Amino acid sequence: GAVVSQHPSRVICKSGTSVKIECRSLDFQATTMFWYRQFPKKSLMLMATSNEGSKATYEQGVEKDKFLINHASLTLSTLTVTSAHPEDSSFYICSVGERGPHQNIQYFGAGTRLSVL
Amino acid sequence: LAKTTQPISMDSYEGQEVNITCSHNNIATNDYITWYQQFPSQGPRFIIQGYKTKVTNEVASLFIPADRKSSTLSLPRVSLSDTAVYYCLVGDQNTGGFKTIFGAGTRLFVKA
C-alpha cells in the first residue's frame, strides 16, 4: 500500500503562533488526501479533504480560516494551524486514499502531536 | 455511509483467539467492510477488507454472514502487541469515494 510520511511527529508551540504540518505520499500520486484530528481516548474526526490543485473540502464545524490546507502537488499536502490556542492541542493525522481492487483503502501517516502552551 | 456499532472494549490473554464483531444493519449493496488497527500515538493501519463470506490474510480473518448486517474480525493467537483500537468501517468506493468516517472503535487489551 501507499507509504505516507508526516512531519513533524511532535510540535510544541506558544499560543498565537502558526504551525505547519506536512503530509507526503512517498510512492503514490495522491489527488486526494485527508486530514483528521484525534483527542485522547477518542476516535478520529475527519477535518477536511485535501484536493490537489483545488480548494479543500471542510467538514461541518471545521474553520477553514483556522486550518489552512494546501495540496499543491500530487505528493504533498500541508495543514497549517493558524494562531494556535491550547484548545487546538490534539493529534493530527493525514491519510491517502488508494483505490483497491474493490474498495478504497486509507493509508495513514504516523500523526503529529500538537501541544499549544 | 453506513453506521457501525462495535463493543467499546474487550479483554483477552496472550495466545487466545479474539473475535470482534461489528454491526452494520444499514449496509448497502455496494458497500465493503474494512477494518483498521490503531496503536497509541500512531495513525491507523489497514488490516483487512471484505464483501461477503470469509477473507483471510497473514494478519487476520474477516467473517461476513450472508445478510452482511454484521462482520467479525478474528485475530488468531493474540500477543501483547495486539493491544490496540480496532475500527470497523463500511463504505462504497463509487458513491462514498475515499471519504472515511470512523466510529468509536473497540479497545482490545491483551494481558499476559
Side-chain angles (χ1 to χ4, degrees):
Chain A
V3 179
V4 181
S5 173
Q6 192 171 336
H7 178 80
S9 59
R10 184 178 180 104
V11 58
I12 301 172
C13 69
K14 294 182 179 180
S15 184
T17 60
S18 294
V19 175
K20 179 184 285 187
I21 302 169
E22 292 186 349
C23 180
R24 294 183 183 273
S25 177
L26 299 184
D27 59 351
F28 179 74
Q29 293 189 324
T31 56
T32 305
M33 293 185 180
F34 299 89
W35 288 95
Y36 298 81
R37 68 187 298 181
Q38 186 176 32
F39 292 106
K41 305 291 186 184
K42 300 294 184 181
S43 185
L44 284 78
M45 290 173 39
L46 180 64
M47 299 175 66
T49 302
S50 172
N51 304 300
E52 187 268 335
S54 64
K55 293 183 178 180
T57 304
Y58 290 83
E59 295 299 302
Q60 189 173 8
V62 178
E63 299 176 59
K64 62 180 181 181
D65 296 329
K66 172 76 171 177
F67 300 99
L68 299 178
I69 292 174
N70 184 281
H71 193 157
S73 76
L74 289 172
T75 59
L76 174 63
S77 175
T78 61
L79 168 68
T80 301
V81 183
T82 61
S83 187
H85 291 285
E87 58 266 29
D88 298 323
S89 298
S90 188
F91 191 53
Y92 293 86
I93 311 169
C94 69
S95 74
V96 167
E98 184 176 271
R99 293 197 183 275
H102 307 290
Q103 171 68 40
N104 298 331
I105 295 172
Q106 296 277 310
Y107 293 95
F108 292 83
T112 297
R113 185 158 305 282
L114 172 63
S115 300
V116 184
L117 305 178
Chain B
L1 297 169
K3 178 178 172 152
T4 60
T5 303
Q6 303 173 233
I8 293 176
S9 66
M10 295 181 67
D11 289 344
S12 181
Y13 289 92
E14 282 189 295
Q16 289 187 332
E17 178 184 79
V18 171
N19 296 308
I20 305 174
T21 297
C22 178
S23 297
H24 28 80
N25 292 318
N26 296 323
I27 189 168
T29 303
N30 295 328
D31 285 346
Y32 278 75
I33 301 155
T34 310
W35 286 79
Y36 293 88
Q37 174 192 55
Q38 185 182 27
F39 297 114
S41 296
Q42 293 187 29
R45 180 177 75 108
F46 169 79
I47 301 176
I48 197 166
Q49 183 179 87
Y51 183 80
K52 63 180 179 181
T53 62
K54 177 183 176 182
V55 179
T56 298
N57 62 22
E58 65 278 4
V59 177
S61 294
L62 179 59
F63 297 92
I64 306 168
D67 66 4
R68 304 200 327 120
K69 293 184 182 299
S70 67
S71 59
T72 299
L73 175 71
S74 182
L75 304 172
R77 298 179 297 282
V78 295
S79 63
L80 296 176
S81 61
D82 292 316
T83 293
V85 179
Y86 293 83
Y87 295 98
C88 161
L89 291 92
V90 174
D92 171 25
Q93 172 173 305
N94 295 318
T95 61
F98 289 111
K99 188 170 179 177
T100 302
I101 304 297
F102 282 79
T106 298
R107 291 183 176 275
L108 172 66
F109 296 95
V110 180
K111 305 173 186 177

